[in-house]
Amino acid sequence: MLSDRYKALGEQVLVIESNGNNAMIGHCKDRGATVLIGSATDPQLLKKARVNQAKCVIAVCDKTGRTQRLPYMFVNLLRDGETSAIVSCSHS
């Protein structure tokens, strides 16, 4: 799991999951990741997650048009922050 790899490197990991019943939430929490439930397309949730302070943002999205705008949302939030994070998005 991607979050496990970053935790193993000593990084702080935050996961935003839209499905509060996703079985992997417990796995992520058990390994030290912070998990927020909600839509990664919600600008308020992204601000709460402090995406603008991220070292790296990785979004794993479905192929719907709803999530394809995420890279643009992240870039706009990061532009207002104090970071030069790497943004990477992939489709599941």
Side-chain angles (χ1 to χ4, degrees):
M1 176 172 246
L2 194 56
S3 62
D4 291 346
R5 293 180 185 162
Y6 280 92
K7 286 303 294 179
L9 293 171
E11 299 293 340
Q12 292 181 339
V13 174
L14 179 125
V15 175
I16 298 175
E17 173 56 49
S18 61
N19 178 1
N21 295 317
N22 186 321
M24 295 307 295
I25 291 173
H27 173 88
C28 292
K29 287 181 176 180
D30 289 345
R31 283 159 180 75
T34 300
V35 178
L36 296 178
I37 305 301
S39 173
T41 62
D42 177 356
Q44 294 303 321
L45 184 62
L46 295 176
K47 287 179 183 178
K48 179 180 179 181
R50 297 185 305 190
V51 171
N52 64 326
Q53 297 177 20
K55 197 187 308 186
C56 178
V57 176
I58 301 171
V60 181
C61 311
D62 59 20
K63 293 181 181 178
T64 66
R66 179 177 61 105
T67 55
Q68 289 187 6
R69 63 186 166 162
L70 283 174
Y72 306 104
M73 294 178 73
F74 290 147
V75 168
N76 285 336
L77 282 170
L78 293 170
R79 188 177 301 141
D80 295 334
E82 302 173 2
T83 185
S84 56
I86 298 166
V87 177
S88 173
C89 295
S90 65
H91 297 284
S92 58

Coordinates of all heavy atoms in Angstrom, one line a residue:
M1 N 0.8 -1.2 0.0 CA 0.0 0.0 0.0 C 0.9 1.2 0.0 O 1.9 1.3 0.7 CB -0.9 0.0 1.2 CG -1.8 1.2 1.4 SD -3.0 0.9 2.7 CE -4.4 1.0 1.7
L2 N 0.5 2.2 -0.8 CA 1.3 3.4 -1.0 C 1.6 4.1 0.3 O 2.7 4.6 0.6 CB 0.6 4.3 -2.0 CG 1.4 5.5 -2.5 CD1 2.7 5.0 -3.2 CD2 0.6 6.2 -3.5
S3 N 0.6 4.3 1.2 CA 0.8 5.0 2.5 C 1.8 4.3 3.3 O 2.5 4.9 4.1 CB -0.6 5.2 3.2 OG -1.1 3.9 3.5
D4 N 1.8 3.0 3.3 CA 2.8 2.2 4.1 C 4.2 2.5 3.7 O 5.1 2.7 4.5 CB 2.6 0.7 3.9 CG 1.3 0.2 4.5 OD1 0.6 0.9 5.3 OD2 0.9 -1.0 4.2
R5 N 4.4 2.7 2.4 CA 5.8 3.0 1.9 C 6.3 4.3 2.4 O 7.4 4.5 2.8 CB 5.8 2.9 0.4 CG 5.6 1.6 -0.1 CD 5.6 1.5 -1.6 NE 5.3 0.2 -2.1 CZ 4.9 0.0 -3.3 NH1 4.8 0.9 -4.2 NH2 4.6 -1.3 -3.7
Y6 N 5.4 5.3 2.4 CA 5.8 6.6 2.9 C 6.0 6.6 4.4 O 6.9 7.3 5.0 CB 4.8 7.7 2.5 CG 5.1 8.1 1.1 CD1 4.4 7.5 0.0 CD2 6.0 9.1 0.8 CE1 4.7 7.9 -1.3 CE2 6.3 9.5 -0.5 CZ 5.6 8.8 -1.6 OH 5.9 9.2 -2.9
K7 N 5.1 5.9 5.2 CA 5.3 5.8 6.6 C 6.6 5.1 6.9 O 7.3 5.5 7.9 CB 4.2 5.0 7.3 CG 2.8 5.8 7.4 CD 3.0 7.1 8.1 CE 3.3 6.9 9.6 NZ 3.4 8.2 10.3
A8 N 7.0 4.1 6.2 CA 8.3 3.4 6.4 C 9.5 4.3 6.2 O 10.5 4.1 6.7 CB 8.4 2.2 5.4
L9 N 9.3 5.3 5.4 CA 10.4 6.3 5.1 C 10.4 7.4 6.2 O 11.1 8.4 6.1 CB 10.2 7.0 3.7 CG 10.4 6.0 2.6 CD1 10.0 6.7 1.3 CD2 11.9 5.6 2.5
G10 N 9.4 7.3 7.2 CA 9.4 8.3 8.2 C 8.5 9.5 7.9 O 8.6 10.5 8.6
E11 N 7.8 9.5 6.8 CA 7.0 10.6 6.4 C 5.6 10.6 7.2 O 5.1 9.6 7.5 CB 6.7 10.6 4.9 CG 8.0 10.6 4.1 CD 8.7 12.0 4.1 OE1 8.1 13.0 4.5 OE2 9.9 12.0 3.8
Q12 N 5.1 11.8 7.3 CA 3.7 11.9 7.8 C 2.8 11.7 6.6 O 3.0 12.1 5.5 CB 3.4 13.3 8.4 CG 4.2 13.7 9.6 CD 3.9 15.1 10.1 OE1 3.4 15.9 9.4 NE2 4.1 15.3 11.4
V13 N 1.7 10.9 6.9 CA 0.8 10.5 5.8 C -0.6 10.9 6.2 O -1.0 10.6 7.3 CB 0.9 9.0 5.5 CG1 -0.1 8.6 4.5 CG2 2.3 8.6 5.0
L14 N -1.3 11.5 5.3 CA -2.7 11.9 5.5 C -3.5 11.3 4.4 O -3.1 11.4 3.2 CB -2.9 13.4 5.6 CG -4.4 13.7 5.7 CD1 -4.6 14.6 6.9 CD2 -5.0 14.3 4.5
V15 N -4.5 10.5 4.7 CA -5.3 9.9 3.7 C -6.7 10.5 3.7 O -7.3 10.7 4.8 CB -5.5 8.4 3.9 CG1 -6.5 7.7 3.0 CG2 -4.1 7.7 3.9
I16 N -7.2 10.9 2.5 CA -8.6 11.4 2.4 C -9.4 10.3 1.7 O -9.1 10.0 0.6 CB -8.7 12.8 1.7 CG1 -7.9 13.8 2.4 CG2 -10.2 13.2 1.5 CD1 -7.9 15.2 1.7
E17 N -10.4 9.8 2.4 CA -11.2 8.7 1.8 C -12.7 9.1 1.8 O -13.2 9.6 2.8 CB -11.0 7.5 2.6 CG -11.9 6.3 2.3 CD -11.8 5.9 0.8 OE1 -10.7 5.7 0.3 OE2 -12.9 5.8 0.2
S18 N -13.3 9.0 0.7 CA -14.7 9.4 0.5 C -15.7 8.3 1.2 O -16.7 8.7 1.6 CB -15.1 9.6 -0.9 OG -14.9 8.4 -1.7
N19 N -15.2 7.1 1.2 CA -16.1 6.0 1.7 C -15.7 5.7 3.2 O -14.7 5.0 3.4 CB -15.9 4.8 0.8 CG -16.7 3.6 1.4 OD1 -17.4 3.7 2.4 ND2 -16.7 2.5 0.7
G20 N -16.5 6.2 4.1 CA -16.2 5.9 5.5 C -16.2 4.5 5.9 O -15.7 4.1 7.0
N21 N -16.7 3.6 5.1 CA -16.7 2.2 5.4 C -15.6 1.4 4.7 O -15.6 0.2 4.7 CB -18.1 1.6 4.9 CG -19.2 2.2 5.7 OD1 -19.1 2.3 7.0 ND2 -20.3 2.5 5.1
N22 N -14.7 2.1 4.0 CA -13.6 1.4 3.4 C -12.8 0.6 4.4 O -12.3 1.2 5.4 CB -12.7 2.5 2.7 CG -11.7 1.8 1.8 OD1 -11.0 0.8 2.2 ND2 -11.4 2.5 0.7
A23 N -12.6 -0.7 4.1 CA -11.9 -1.6 5.0 C -10.4 -1.2 5.2 O -9.8 -1.5 6.2 CB -12.0 -3.0 4.5
M24 N -9.9 -0.4 4.3 CA -8.4 0.0 4.4 C -8.2 1.1 5.4 O -7.1 1.4 5.8 CB -7.9 0.3 3.1 CG -7.9 -0.9 2.1 SD -7.0 -2.3 2.8 CE -5.4 -1.7 2.9
I25 N -9.3 1.8 5.9 CA -9.1 2.9 6.8 C -8.4 2.4 8.1 O -7.5 3.1 8.6 CB -10.5 3.6 7.1 CG1 -11.0 4.3 5.9 CG2 -10.4 4.5 8.3 CD1 -12.4 4.8 6.0
G26 N -8.9 1.3 8.6 CA -8.3 0.8 9.8 C -6.8 0.4 9.6 O -5.9 0.7 10.5
H27 N -6.5 -0.1 8.5 CA -5.1 -0.5 8.1 C -4.2 0.8 8.1 O -3.1 0.8 8.7 CB -5.1 -1.1 6.7 CG -3.7 -1.4 6.2 ND1 -3.0 -2.5 6.4 CD2 -2.9 -0.6 5.4 CE1 -1.8 -2.4 5.8 NE2 -1.7 -1.3 5.2
C28 N -4.7 1.8 7.5 CA -4.0 3.1 7.4 C -3.7 3.7 8.8 O -2.6 4.1 9.2 CB -4.7 4.1 6.6 SG -4.7 3.7 4.8
K29 N -4.8 3.7 9.6 CA -4.7 4.2 11.0 C -3.8 3.4 11.8 O -3.0 3.9 12.6 CB -6.1 4.3 11.6 CG -7.0 5.4 11.1 CD -8.3 5.4 11.8 CE -9.2 6.6 11.4 NZ -10.5 6.6 12.1
D30 N -3.8 2.1 11.7 CA -3.0 1.2 12.5 C -1.5 1.4 12.2 O -0.6 1.2 13.0 CB -3.3 -0.3 12.2 CG -4.6 -0.7 12.8 OD1 -5.2 0.0 13.6 OD2 -5.1 -1.8 12.3
R31 N -1.2 1.9 11.0 CA 0.2 2.2 10.6 C 0.6 3.6 10.8 O 1.7 4.0 10.3 CB 0.4 1.7 9.2 CG 0.5 0.2 9.2 CD 0.3 -0.5 7.9 NE 0.4 -1.9 7.9 CZ -0.5 -2.7 8.5 NH1 -1.6 -2.3 9.1 NH2 -0.3 -4.0 8.4
G32 N -0.3 4.4 11.4 CA 0.1 5.8 11.8 C -0.3 6.9 10.9 O 0.0 8.0 11.1
A33 N -1.1 6.5 9.9 CA -1.6 7.6 8.9 C -2.8 8.3 9.6 O -3.6 7.6 10.3 CB -2.0 7.0 7.6
T34 N -3.0 9.5 9.3 CA -4.2 10.3 9.7 C -5.2 10.1 8.5 O -4.8 10.2 7.4 CB -3.8 11.8 9.8 OG1 -2.8 11.9 10.8 CG2 -5.1 12.6 10.2
V35 N -6.4 9.8 8.9 CA -7.4 9.6 7.9 C -8.6 10.6 8.1 O -9.1 10.7 9.2 CB -8.0 8.2 7.9 CG1 -9.1 8.0 6.9 CG2 -6.9 7.1 7.8
L36 N -8.9 11.3 7.0 CA -10.1 12.2 7.0 C -11.1 11.6 6.0 O -10.7 11.2 5.0 CB -9.7 13.6 6.5 CG -8.7 14.4 7.3 CD1 -8.4 15.7 6.7 CD2 -9.2 14.6 8.7
I37 N -12.3 11.6 6.5 CA -13.4 11.1 5.6 C -14.1 12.3 5.0 O -14.5 13.2 5.6 CB -14.5 10.3 6.5 CG1 -13.8 9.2 7.3 CG2 -15.6 9.7 5.6 CD1 -13.0 8.2 6.5
G38 N -14.2 12.2 3.7 CA -14.9 13.2 2.9 C -14.4 13.2 1.5 O -13.6 12.3 1.0
S39 N -14.7 14.2 0.7 CA -14.4 14.3 -0.7 C -13.1 15.1 -0.9 O -13.0 16.2 -0.4 CB -15.5 15.0 -1.5 OG -15.1 15.2 -2.8
A40 N -12.2 14.5 -1.6 CA -10.9 15.3 -1.9 C -11.2 16.4 -2.9 O -10.3 17.2 -3.1 CB -9.9 14.3 -2.4
T41 N -12.4 16.5 -3.3 CA -12.7 17.7 -4.2 C -13.3 18.8 -3.4 O -13.7 19.9 -3.9 CB -13.7 17.3 -5.3 OG1 -15.0 16.8 -4.7 CG2 -13.2 16.2 -6.2
D42 N -13.4 18.7 -2.1 CA -14.0 19.7 -1.2 C -12.9 20.6 -0.7 O -12.0 20.2 0.0 CB -14.6 19.0 0.0 CG -15.2 20.0 1.1 OD1 -15.0 21.2 0.9 OD2 -15.8 19.5 2.1
P43 N -12.9 21.9 -1.2 CA -11.8 22.8 -0.9 C -11.6 23.0 0.6 O -10.5 23.2 1.1 CB -12.2 24.1 -1.5 CG -13.2 23.7 -2.6 CD -13.8 22.5 -2.1
Q44 N -12.7 23.0 1.4 CA -12.6 23.2 2.9 C -11.9 22.0 3.5 O -11.1 22.2 4.4 CB -14.0 23.3 3.5 CG -14.7 24.6 3.1 CD -13.8 25.8 3.4 OE1 -13.2 25.9 4.4 NE2 -13.8 26.8 2.5
L45 N -12.2 20.8 3.0 CA -11.5 19.6 3.6 C -10.0 19.6 3.2 O -9.1 19.3 4.0 CB -12.1 18.3 3.1 CG -11.6 17.0 3.6 CD1 -11.8 16.9 5.1 CD2 -12.2 15.8 3.0
L46 N -9.7 20.1 2.0 CA -8.3 20.2 1.6 C -7.5 21.2 2.5 O -6.4 21.0 2.8 CB -8.2 20.5 0.1 CG -8.7 19.4 -0.8 CD1 -8.6 19.9 -2.3 CD2 -7.9 18.1 -0.7
K47 N -8.2 22.3 2.8 CA -7.6 23.3 3.7 C -7.4 22.7 5.1 O -6.4 22.9 5.7 CB -8.4 24.5 3.7 CG -8.3 25.3 2.5 CD -9.2 26.6 2.5 CE -9.1 27.3 1.2 NZ -10.0 28.5 1.2
K48 N -8.4 21.9 5.6 CA -8.3 21.3 6.9 C -7.1 20.3 6.9 O -6.4 20.2 7.9 CB -9.6 20.5 7.2 CG -9.6 19.8 8.5 CD -10.9 19.1 8.8 CE -10.8 18.3 10.1 NZ -12.1 17.6 10.4
A49 N -6.9 19.7 5.7 CA -5.8 18.7 5.6 C -4.5 19.4 5.5 O -3.4 18.7 5.5 CB -6.1 17.8 4.4
R50 N -4.5 20.7 5.3 CA -3.3 21.5 5.1 C -2.5 21.1 3.9 O -1.2 20.9 4.0 CB -2.4 21.5 6.4 CG -3.2 22.2 7.6 CD -2.3 22.3 8.8 NE -1.8 21.0 9.1 CZ -1.1 20.8 10.3 NH1 -1.0 21.7 11.1 NH2 -0.7 19.6 10.5
V51 N -3.2 20.8 2.8 CA -2.5 20.4 1.6 C -1.5 21.4 1.2 O -0.5 21.1 0.6 CB -3.6 20.2 0.5 CG1 -2.9 20.0 -0.9 CG2 -4.4 19.0 0.9
N52 N -1.7 22.7 1.5 CA -0.8 23.8 1.1 C 0.5 23.7 1.8 O 1.5 24.3 1.5 CB -1.4 25.1 1.4 CG -1.7 25.4 2.8 OD1 -2.0 24.5 3.6 ND2 -1.6 26.6 3.2
Q53 N 0.7 22.8 2.8 CA 1.9 22.6 3.5 C 2.6 21.2 3.2 O 3.6 20.9 3.8 CB 1.7 22.7 5.0 CG 1.2 24.1 5.5 CD 0.9 24.1 6.9 OE1 1.4 23.3 7.7 NE2 0.1 25.1 7.3
A54 N 2.0 20.5 2.3 CA 2.4 19.2 2.0 C 3.8 19.2 1.3 O 4.1 20.1 0.5 CB 1.4 18.5 1.1
K55 N 4.6 18.2 1.5 CA 5.8 18.0 0.8 C 5.5 17.3 -0.5 O 6.2 17.5 -1.5 CB 6.7 17.1 1.7 CG 8.2 17.1 1.2 CD 9.1 16.1 1.9 CE 9.0 16.1 3.4 NZ 10.1 15.2 4.0
C56 N 4.5 16.4 -0.5 CA 4.1 15.7 -1.7 C 2.7 15.4 -1.6 O 2.1 15.1 -0.5 CB 4.9 14.4 -1.7 SG 4.6 13.3 -3.1
V57 N 2.0 15.5 -2.7 CA 0.5 15.1 -2.8 C 0.4 14.1 -3.9 O 0.8 14.3 -5.0 CB -0.3 16.4 -3.2 CG1 -1.8 16.0 -3.4 CG2 -0.2 17.5 -2.1
I58 N -0.2 13.0 -3.5 CA -0.5 11.9 -4.4 C -2.0 11.6 -4.4 O -2.5 11.3 -3.3 CB 0.3 10.6 -4.1 CG1 1.8 10.9 -4.1 CG2 0.0 9.5 -5.0 CD1 2.7 9.8 -3.6
A59 N -2.6 11.6 -5.5 CA -4.0 11.4 -5.5 C -4.3 10.1 -6.4 O -3.8 10.0 -7.5 CB -4.8 12.5 -6.1
V60 N -5.0 9.2 -5.8 CA -5.4 8.0 -6.5 C -6.9 8.1 -6.7 O -7.6 8.1 -5.8 CB -5.0 6.7 -5.8 CG1 -5.4 5.5 -6.6 CG2 -3.5 6.6 -5.5
C61 N -7.3 8.3 -8.0 CA -8.7 8.7 -8.3 C -9.3 7.6 -9.2 O -8.6 6.9 -9.9 CB -8.7 10.0 -9.1 SG -7.7 11.3 -8.3
D62 N -10.6 7.6 -9.2 CA -11.3 6.8 -10.2 C -11.4 7.6 -11.5 O -10.8 8.7 -11.6 CB -12.7 6.5 -9.7 CG -13.6 7.7 -9.4 OD1 -13.3 8.8 -9.9 OD2 -14.6 7.5 -8.6
K63 N -12.0 7.0 -12.5 CA -12.0 7.6 -13.8 C -13.1 8.5 -14.1 O -13.4 8.9 -15.2 CB -11.9 6.5 -14.8 CG -10.6 5.7 -14.8 CD -10.5 4.7 -15.8 CE -9.2 3.9 -15.7 NZ -9.1 2.9 -16.7
T64 N -13.9 8.9 -13.1 CA -15.0 9.8 -13.3 C -14.5 11.2 -13.4 O -13.4 11.6 -12.9 CB -16.0 9.8 -12.1 OG1 -15.3 10.3 -10.9 CG2 -16.5 8.4 -11.8
G65 N -15.3 12.1 -14.1 CA -14.9 13.5 -14.2 C -14.8 14.2 -12.9 O -14.2 15.2 -12.8
R66 N -15.5 13.7 -11.9 CA -15.6 14.3 -10.6 C -14.2 14.4 -10.0 O -13.9 15.4 -9.3 CB -16.5 13.5 -9.7 CG -16.6 14.0 -8.3 CD -17.6 13.2 -7.5 NE -17.2 11.8 -7.4 CZ -16.7 11.2 -6.3 NH1 -16.6 11.9 -5.2 NH2 -16.3 10.0 -6.3
T67 N -13.4 13.5 -10.2 CA -12.0 13.5 -9.5 C -10.9 13.9 -10.5 O -9.8 14.2 -10.0 CB -11.7 12.1 -8.9 OG1 -11.8 11.1 -10.0 CG2 -12.6 11.7 -7.8
Q68 N -11.2 14.0 -11.7 CA -10.2 14.4 -12.7 C -9.7 15.9 -12.5 O -8.7 16.3 -13.0 CB -10.6 14.2 -14.1 CG -10.6 12.7 -14.4 CD -10.9 12.3 -15.8 OE1 -10.9 13.2 -16.7 NE2 -11.0 11.1 -16.1
R69 N -10.5 16.7 -11.8 CA -10.1 18.1 -11.5 C -9.2 18.2 -10.3 O -8.7 19.3 -10.0 CB -11.4 18.9 -11.3 CG -12.2 18.5 -10.2 CD -13.5 19.3 -10.1 NE -14.4 18.6 -9.2 CZ -15.4 19.2 -8.6 NH1 -15.7 20.4 -8.9 NH2 -16.1 18.5 -7.8
L70 N -8.9 17.1 -9.6 CA -8.1 17.2 -8.4 C -6.7 17.8 -8.6 O -6.3 18.6 -7.8 CB -7.9 15.8 -7.8 CG -9.1 15.3 -7.0 CD1 -8.9 13.9 -6.5 CD2 -9.4 16.2 -5.8
P71 N -6.0 17.4 -9.7 CA -4.7 18.0 -9.8 C -4.7 19.6 -9.9 O -3.9 20.2 -9.3 CB -4.2 17.5 -11.2 CG -4.9 16.2 -11.4 CD -6.3 16.4 -10.7
Y72 N -5.7 20.1 -10.5 CA -5.8 21.6 -10.6 C -6.2 22.2 -9.2 O -5.7 23.2 -8.9 CB -6.9 21.9 -11.7 CG -6.6 21.3 -13.0 CD1 -7.4 20.2 -13.4 CD2 -5.6 21.7 -13.8 CE1 -7.1 19.5 -14.6 CE2 -5.3 21.1 -15.0 CZ -6.1 20.0 -15.4 OH -5.8 19.3 -16.5
M73 N -7.0 21.5 -8.5 CA -7.4 22.0 -7.1 C -6.1 22.0 -6.3 O -5.9 22.9 -5.5 CB -8.5 21.1 -6.5 CG -9.8 21.2 -7.2 SD -11.0 20.1 -6.5 CE -11.4 21.0 -5.0
F74 N -5.3 20.9 -6.3 CA -4.1 20.8 -5.5 C -3.1 21.9 -5.9 O -2.6 22.6 -5.0 CB -3.5 19.5 -5.6 CG -4.2 18.3 -5.0 CD1 -4.2 17.1 -5.6 CD2 -5.0 18.5 -3.9 CE1 -4.9 16.0 -5.0 CE2 -5.7 17.4 -3.3 CZ -5.6 16.2 -3.9
V75 N -2.9 22.1 -7.2 CA -2.0 23.1 -7.6 C -2.4 24.5 -7.1 O -1.6 25.3 -6.7 CB -1.8 23.0 -9.1 CG1 -1.0 24.3 -9.6 CG2 -1.1 21.8 -9.5
N76 N -3.7 24.8 -7.2 CA -4.2 26.1 -6.8 C -4.0 26.3 -5.3 O -3.5 27.3 -4.8 CB -5.6 26.3 -7.1 CG -5.8 26.6 -8.6 OD1 -4.9 27.1 -9.3 ND2 -7.0 26.3 -9.1
L77 N -4.2 25.2 -4.5 CA -4.0 25.3 -3.0 C -2.5 25.4 -2.7 O -2.1 26.2 -1.8 CB -4.6 24.1 -2.3 CG -6.1 24.2 -2.1 CD1 -6.6 22.8 -1.6 CD2 -6.5 25.2 -1.1
L78 N -1.7 24.7 -3.4 CA -0.3 24.7 -3.1 C 0.3 26.0 -3.5 O 1.3 26.5 -2.8 CB 0.4 23.6 -3.9 CG 0.1 22.1 -3.4 CD1 0.6 21.1 -4.4 CD2 0.5 21.9 -2.0
R79 N -0.2 26.7 -4.5 CA 0.3 28.0 -4.9 C 0.2 29.0 -3.8 O 1.0 29.9 -3.7 CB -0.5 28.4 -6.2 CG 0.1 29.7 -6.8 CD -0.6 30.0 -8.1 NE -0.6 29.0 -9.0 CZ -1.6 28.6 -9.8 NH1 -2.8 29.2 -9.7 NH2 -1.5 27.6 -10.7
D80 N -0.9 28.8 -3.0 CA -1.1 29.7 -1.9 C -0.3 29.4 -0.6 O -0.4 30.1 0.4 CB -2.6 29.8 -1.5 CG -3.4 30.3 -2.7 OD1 -2.9 31.1 -3.5 OD2 -4.6 30.0 -2.8
G81 N 0.4 28.3 -0.7 CA 1.1 27.8 0.5 C 2.6 28.1 0.5 O 3.0 28.9 -0.2
E82 N 3.2 27.5 1.4 CA 4.7 27.7 1.6 C 5.5 26.5 1.2 O 6.4 26.1 1.9 CB 4.9 28.0 3.1 CG 4.1 29.2 3.6 CD 4.3 29.4 5.1 OE1 5.0 28.6 5.8 OE2 3.7 30.3 5.6
T83 N 5.1 25.9 0.2 CA 5.7 24.6 -0.2 C 5.9 24.5 -1.7 O 5.3 25.3 -2.5 CB 4.9 23.4 0.2 OG1 5.6 22.2 0.0 CG2 3.5 23.4 -0.4
S84 N 6.8 23.7 -2.1 CA 6.9 23.4 -3.5 C 6.7 21.9 -3.7 O 7.5 21.1 -4.2 CB 8.3 23.7 -4.0 OG 9.3 23.1 -3.2
A85 N 5.5 21.4 -3.3 CA 5.2 20.0 -3.3 C 5.1 19.4 -4.7 O 4.8 20.1 -5.6 CB 3.9 19.8 -2.6
I86 N 5.4 18.2 -4.8 CA 5.2 17.4 -6.0 C 3.8 16.9 -6.0 O 3.3 16.4 -5.0 CB 6.2 16.2 -6.0 CG1 7.6 16.7 -6.0 CG2 5.9 15.3 -7.2 CD1 8.6 15.6 -5.7
V87 N 3.1 17.1 -7.1 CA 1.7 16.6 -7.3 C 1.7 15.5 -8.3 O 2.2 15.7 -9.4 CB 0.8 17.8 -7.7 CG1 -0.6 17.2 -7.9 CG2 0.8 18.9 -6.7
S88 N 1.2 14.4 -7.9 CA 1.1 13.3 -8.8 C -0.3 12.7 -8.6 O -0.8 12.4 -7.5 CB 2.1 12.2 -8.4 OG 1.9 11.0 -9.2
C89 N -1.0 12.4 -9.8 CA -2.3 11.8 -9.7 C -2.4 10.6 -10.7 O -1.8 10.7 -11.7 CB -3.4 12.8 -10.2 SG -3.6 14.2 -9.0
S90 N -3.0 9.6 -10.2 CA -3.2 8.4 -11.1 C -4.6 7.9 -11.0 O -5.3 8.2 -10.0 CB -2.2 7.3 -10.6 OG -2.5 6.9 -9.4
H91 N -5.0 7.1 -11.9 CA -6.3 6.6 -11.9 C -6.3 5.1 -11.5 O -5.4 4.4 -12.0 CB -7.0 6.7 -13.3 CG -7.1 8.1 -13.7 ND1 -8.1 8.9 -13.2 CD2 -6.4 8.9 -14.5 CE1 -8.0 10.1 -13.7 NE2 -7.0 10.2 -14.5
S92 N -7.2 4.7 -10.7 CA -7.3 3.3 -10.3 C -8.1 2.5 -11.3 O -8.7 3.0 -12.1 CB -8.0 3.2 -8.9 OG -9.3 3.7 -8.9

